[in-house]
Amino acid sequence: MNRNILVVLTLMSALPFGCRGVAPASDTLPSWNGGGTKQSVVAFVAAVTREGGPDYVAPAERIAVFDNDGTLWAERPMYFQLQFALDRVKVLAPMHPEWREVQPFKAALEGDLETVFSGGEHALLELVMATHAGNTTEEFARAVKEWLATATHPNTGRPYTDMVYQPMLELLEYLRANGFKTYIVTGGGIEFVRVFAEEVYGVPPEQVIGSSIKTEFELRDGTPVLVRLPEINFVDDKAGKPVAINQHIGRRPLAAFGNSDGDLQMLQWTTAGDGERLALLVHHTDEDREWAYDRVSSIGRLDEALDEAQAKGWTVVDMKIDWNRVFSFTNQQDQGGR
Amino acid sequence: MNRNILVVLTLMSALPFGCRGVAPASDTLPSWNGGGTKQSVVAFVAAVTREGGPDYVAPAERIAVFDNDGTLWAERPMYFQLQFALDRVKVLAPMHPEWREVQPFKAALEGDLETVFSGGEHALLELVMATHAGNTTEEFARAVKEWLATATHPNTGRPYTDMVYQPMLELLEYLRANGFKTYIVTGGGIEFVRVFAEEVYGVPPEQVIGSSIKTEFELRDGTPVLVRLPEINFVDDKAGKPVAINQHIGRRPLAAFGNSDGDLQMLQWTTAGDGERLALLVHHTDEDREWAYDRVSSIGRLDEALDEAQAKGWTVVDMKIDWNRVFSFTNQQDQGGR
């Protein structure tokens, strides 16, 4: 090799990743077992990044959208954001002595989840508003940060931000290395997920889309703040996901990743575009390493979307078979795999 | 110079701009006259990009937000999007024979603007809904594209996309070359501005924030579409601008650019952040090359924001003095300048 070229290559390899060419596909998805599922992802990425090829897509249009709960991190025994709300009721209780007598707060303070859930959607909405609104955006972000730093998952004793799927972290990185812009499109709160998305997933705040409550601009002693109001602004679930994608991104995604019926319309919207598209569902099939649930679950039900995936040939991840590692804190090839 | 280094530098200069270091400040703003205004912009950019300096800001936080009407392109004799609505009434009229008898449509069809405007906000809203809703997002984008390709400005005979300010195009480019991410935050329609923002301003759809009507996901013969409903979703003006910035970006901007009282809260929100911030107002002072208006104008009124700019030392562009060229189709240093 010509010495000058060697020098150039050496120096270029010190440049930020985005400035280099396409990353090699081999060994970039180590937690994925070989087989049809991994192959369908790798083949899709190869097709849309092959310059001059029939399926080539310019980097600007390489948009990948990921659901969060059940797709990037676990969602059992309950949505983690709901656990945040329940924990926050306790933090705020001293300022609300009346909560000791009023449901669903009384039950939440007593840890009586059965009574909390028996109040249905209305009770949960009350809990969410009481714990998520009435503060500024900065105060809320601080509260989430403090909770994430101290709260632990009841089954594993790990911080919630450890409960992320190692294969999906690799997939996010693999797509970005191939010029994709990765977005989160979550039914969870946009300002909740933004607090950890950059550090945990490498997804910056402007690439997080989610449900939201209304906020209002206010001058407090001359200082502008955004106050969070106890009023729903947008529910980023089911048919809301394509609406939010259009509102925030203004482009149709090239690839979409979900795990439940709440992601069905996002996958429909993505695959209805021209050319090669990738739609992938994470199917929770591993009761040993994670949880096994689908058609009759109250959390993350996967029923209609599973039928449509089978009918349309979308990629379905069988957690038990396709992943040799689930969480990053477990050993590689700990269980499962072929 | 060592020959290897020369080779490296030569090859590196062929890399995409974003991968190189900071662009030189000289000659990057040729349509700006020297003086305090240009100097305040250049000094701000130098301060926040100087690695190791006390005001250094990491590239990820270099967010710059630009108003559109009156800041990036002209807004006279009326907001261009309103002209689109009026022109579109004529396009759609054959499908709406009743419009010949009903205001404000009758007046719009007869070109009787006085009667149209006498109907106030309600009449304008009716016109906007009738011309902007009832179609899919793709159909609407096509309609805007067709209009932009054929409609011309009544004073200059130029396409509306020529009515952009050359100094502001240079400023957008200059900021991007210095690692800024440039956003549009417009009171105009998000789906209207997205049609031309990438080509004209170099701002991709995901970096356009604006007012919107509600959209709804629908399956039409199995094909998903987003249908635009005749219902306001969000008004991205005044106190709405910081709210939308938080919703879409989730970071506080480092620099904000506007021209009217509709931009005041965006500039307040931006400058309330820590460290060096830039707030800039374009003051329309040039009746020869453009228009001169401020405190008593019905379009783009600049009154409260001008007072606050003076009180707080924000940068105010005096179009007549600070710009040696206004539009790209006019000659450089055609008029004005020192």
Side-chain angles (χ1 to χ4, degrees):
Chain A
M1 189 183 279
N2 172 303
R3 198 181 136 72
N4 280 343
I5 290 174
L6 186 66
V7 171
V8 171
L9 290 177
T10 306
L11 284 167
M12 282 181 73
S13 69
L15 289 173
F17 207 49
C19 296
R20 284 188 280 157
V22 169
S26 59
D27 294 316
T28 52
L29 298 170
S31 300
W32 293 72
N33 289 316
T37 306
K38 179 175 181 174
Q39 191 43 43
S40 75
V41 173
V42 172
F44 163 78
V45 170
V48 299
T49 56
R50 193 182 298 118
E51 280 192 64
D55 302 315
Y56 178 76
V57 176
E61 295 287 345
R62 293 183 204 156
I63 304 287
V65 288
F66 288 80
D67 169 58
N68 185 42
D69 295 311
T71 299
L72 294 180
W73 75 358
E75 56 187 351
R76 298 245 161 176
M78 70 174 84
Y79 293 129
F80 299 171
Q81 192 172 355
L82 183 56
Q83 187 62 61
F84 163 75
L86 291 170
D87 290 349
R88 194 157 168 75
V89 167
K90 289 175 188 155
V91 172
L92 298 175
M95 286 144 68
H96 297 274
E98 74 281 9
W99 283 356
R100 306 219 151 270
E101 305 304 326
V102 184
Q103 296 296 11
F105 302 99
K106 182 170 183 288
L109 288 171
E110 291 163 355
D112 173 8
L113 292 183
E114 204 176 318
T115 302
V116 169
F117 292 128
S118 72
E121 209 172 292
H122 178 74
L124 293 180
L125 197 64
E126 266 201 281
L127 280 182
V128 167
M129 288 307 175
T131 53
H132 285 63
N135 41 26
T136 68
T137 48
E138 289 179 352
E139 288 163 356
F140 179 72
R142 202 153 46 230
V144 176
K145 208 167 190 156
E146 282 167 15
W147 180 79
L148 288 172
T150 53
T152 53
H153 191 276
N155 297 70
T156 63
R158 291 271 173 175
Y160 285 97
T161 47
D162 276 8
M163 300 296 293
V164 300
Y165 304 129
Q166 177 64 23
M168 297 305 284
L169 294 181
E170 294 165 7
L171 188 52
L172 283 164
E173 192 49 58
Y174 170 63
L175 289 171
R176 287 193 290 258
N178 280 283
F180 280 78
K181 202 164 177 177
T182 52
Y183 281 81
I184 291 172
V185 181
T186 176
I190 186 169
E191 303 220 48
F192 180 83
V193 176
R194 276 176 174 165
V195 172
F196 61 92
E198 185 147 32
E199 197 182 320
V200 174
Y201 302 131
V203 176
E206 62 267 33
Q207 284 158 235
V208 176
I209 301 169
S211 298
S212 57
I213 58 177
K214 286 198 190 292
T215 61
E216 193 171 57
F217 179 85
E218 198 183 299
L219 286 176
R220 287 191 177 166
D221 300 325
T223 300
V225 291
L226 290 173
V227 180
R228 293 166 54 82
L229 306 178
E231 192 186 339
I232 292 284
N233 178 58
F234 188 79
V235 178
D236 188 32
D237 196 28
K238 299 193 169 76
K241 290 203 173 190
V243 168
I245 287 169
N246 184 59
Q247 178 75 1
H248 283 256
I249 311 179
R251 307 187 200 254
R252 192 190 299 259
L254 208 57
F257 304 84
N259 78 302
S260 79
D261 286 356
D263 304 312
L264 175 57
Q265 290 84 352
M266 176 168 84
L267 272 59
Q268 289 173 332
W269 177 245
T270 298
T271 52
D274 294 334
E276 282 290 307
R277 306 274 159 167
L278 177 66
L280 181 148
L281 285 171
V282 173
H283 190 183
H284 294 260
T285 53
D286 195 327
E287 60 191 339
D288 295 322
R289 297 183 302 173
E290 208 241 4
W291 286 271
Y293 56 94
D294 47 28
R295 295 187 187 273
V296 295
S297 172
S298 62
I299 298 171
R301 175 175 301 159
L302 177 63
D303 184 31
E304 243 189 291
L306 192 56
D307 289 339
E308 190 147 336
Q310 285 159 355
K312 294 189 170 169
W314 294 344
T315 300
V316 179
V317 172
D318 185 325
M319 257 194 182
K320 196 166 188 165
I321 293 175
D322 291 320
W323 290 357
N324 60 54
R325 185 150 75 150
V326 175
F327 301 111
S328 58
F329 58 81
T330 54
N331 291 325
Q332 196 157 357
Q333 301 189 356
D334 42 7
Q335 292 169 61
R338 301 176 199 260
Chain B
M1 188 183 282
N2 173 303
R3 198 180 136 74
N4 281 341
I5 290 174
L6 186 66
V7 171
V8 171
L9 290 177
T10 306
L11 283 167
M12 282 181 73
S13 69
L15 289 172
F17 208 48
C19 296
R20 284 189 281 156
V22 170
S26 58
D27 294 316
T28 52
L29 297 170
S31 300
W32 292 72
N33 289 316
T37 306
K38 179 174 179 173
Q39 191 42 43
S40 74
V41 173
V42 172
F44 163 78
V45 170
V48 298
T49 56
R50 194 181 297 118
E51 280 193 63
D55 302 313
Y56 179 76
V57 176
E61 295 288 345
R62 293 182 203 157
I63 304 287
V65 288
F66 288 81
D67 169 59
N68 185 41
D69 295 310
T71 299
L72 293 180
W73 75 357
E75 56 187 351
R76 297 242 159 179
M78 70 174 84
Y79 293 128
F80 299 171
Q81 192 172 356
L82 182 56
Q83 186 63 60
F84 164 74
L86 291 170
D87 289 349
R88 194 156 168 75
V89 167
K90 290 176 186 152
V91 172
L92 298 174
M95 287 144 67
H96 296 274
E98 74 281 9
W99 284 356
R100 308 218 150 269
E101 306 303 326
V102 184
Q103 295 297 11
F105 302 100
K106 182 169 183 287
L109 288 171
E110 291 164 355
D112 174 8
L113 292 182
E114 205 177 318
T115 301
V116 168
F117 291 129
S118 72
E121 209 172 291
H122 178 75
L124 293 180
L125 197 64
E126 266 201 279
L127 280 182
V128 167
M129 288 306 176
T131 53
H132 286 63
N135 41 25
T136 68
T137 49
E138 288 180 352
E139 289 163 355
F140 179 72
R142 202 152 48 230
V144 175
K145 208 169 189 154
E146 282 168 17
W147 180 78
L148 288 172
T150 53
T152 53
H153 190 275
N155 297 69
T156 63
R158 292 271 172 175
Y160 285 98
T161 47
D162 276 8
M163 301 297 292
V164 300
Y165 305 129
Q166 177 63 24
M168 297 305 284
L169 294 182
E170 294 166 7
L171 187 53
L172 283 164
E173 192 48 58
Y174 170 64
L175 288 171
R176 287 193 290 258
N178 281 283
F180 280 78
K181 203 163 177 178
T182 52
Y183 281 82
I184 292 172
V185 181
T186 176
I190 186 169
E191 303 221 46
F192 180 84
V193 175
R194 276 176 174 165
V195 172
F196 62 91
E198 184 146 34
E199 198 183 319
V200 174
Y201 302 131
V203 175
E206 62 267 31
Q207 285 160 231
V208 176
I209 301 169
S211 297
S212 56
I213 58 177
K214 286 198 189 294
T215 61
E216 193 171 56
F217 179 84
E218 198 183 300
L219 287 177
R220 287 190 178 168
D221 301 326
T223 301
V225 291
L226 291 173
V227 181
R228 294 166 53 82
L229 306 179
E231 192 186 338
I232 293 285
N233 177 58
F234 188 79
V235 178
D236 188 33
D237 197 28
K238 300 193 169 74
K241 290 202 174 191
V243 169
I245 287 170
N246 184 60
Q247 178 75 0
H248 283 256
I249 311 179
R251 305 188 200 253
R252 192 190 298 259
L254 208 57
F257 304 83
N259 78 301
S260 79
D261 286 356
D263 303 312
L264 175 58
Q265 289 83 354
M266 175 168 84
L267 271 59
Q268 288 173 332
W269 178 244
T270 299
T271 53
D274 294 334
E276 282 290 307
R277 305 274 158 167
L278 177 67
L280 180 148
L281 285 171
V282 173
H283 190 184
H284 294 259
T285 52
D286 195 327
E287 60 192 337
D288 295 322
R289 297 184 301 174
E290 209 242 2
W291 287 270
Y293 56 94
D294 48 29
R295 296 186 186 273
V296 296
S297 173
S298 63
I299 299 170
R301 174 176 302 160
L302 178 63
D303 184 31
E304 241 189 295
L306 192 56
D307 289 339
E308 190 147 337
Q310 285 159 354
K312 294 189 172 168
W314 293 345
T315 301
V316 178
V317 172
D318 185 325
M319 256 195 182
K320 196 167 187 164
I321 292 174
D322 291 320
W323 289 357
N324 60 54
R325 185 151 73 150
V326 174
F327 300 111
S328 58
F329 58 81
T330 55
N331 290 327
Q332 196 157 357
Q333 302 191 353
D334 42 8
Q335 292 167 61
R338 301 176 199 259

